[in-house]
Amino acid sequence: MGADRTAAFAPTAKGHLSSVLVAPKDVNLADLVKHINECLANPYNEKGSYPCSAGDYKVAVDASGKVTELWERAHS
C-alpha cells in the first residue's frame, strides 16, 4: 500500500460496485461519483445493496495518470 494520491477521472472512466449481498454492478462515471460522494458524506452508509467500502478501491490509471477504472472492494 502506498501513500495517498489524487487523480482526475478520465471522461470514459468505468466503475464497478461490489457487495456481499448481490452480484457486482458496473456503473458509469456519473453514478460512480455519486456513490463515492455519498460514501464520503456518510462513510458507514449501509443502505441498499451496495454499501460503502470504507474507501477500499482498486484503481487503474492511464499513462497520463487519469483514473480509467475503479473497483470497489466489498466488505461484510
Side-chain angles (χ1 to χ4, degrees), residues 10-34:
T12 57
K14 298 176 188 173
H16 310 280
L17 303 180
S18 297
S19 172
V20 296
L21 305 172
V22 295
K25 177 181 178 183
D26 295 340
V27 295
N28 62 31
L29 181 57
D31 289 338
L32 175 63
V33 169
K34 178 182 177 204

Side-chain angles (χ1 to χ4, degrees), residues 34-49:
K34 178 182 177 204
H35 178 78
I36 291 170
N37 284 336
E38 289 171 351
C39 289
L40 288 171
N42 184 5
Y44 302 104
N45 177 16
E46 296 197 16
K47 293 190 284 184
S49 298

Side-chain angles (χ1 to χ4, degrees), residues 48-62:
S49 298
Y50 298 94
C52 298
S53 68
D56 192 2
Y57 296 93
K58 177 181 171 186
V59 180
V61 296
D62 62 16

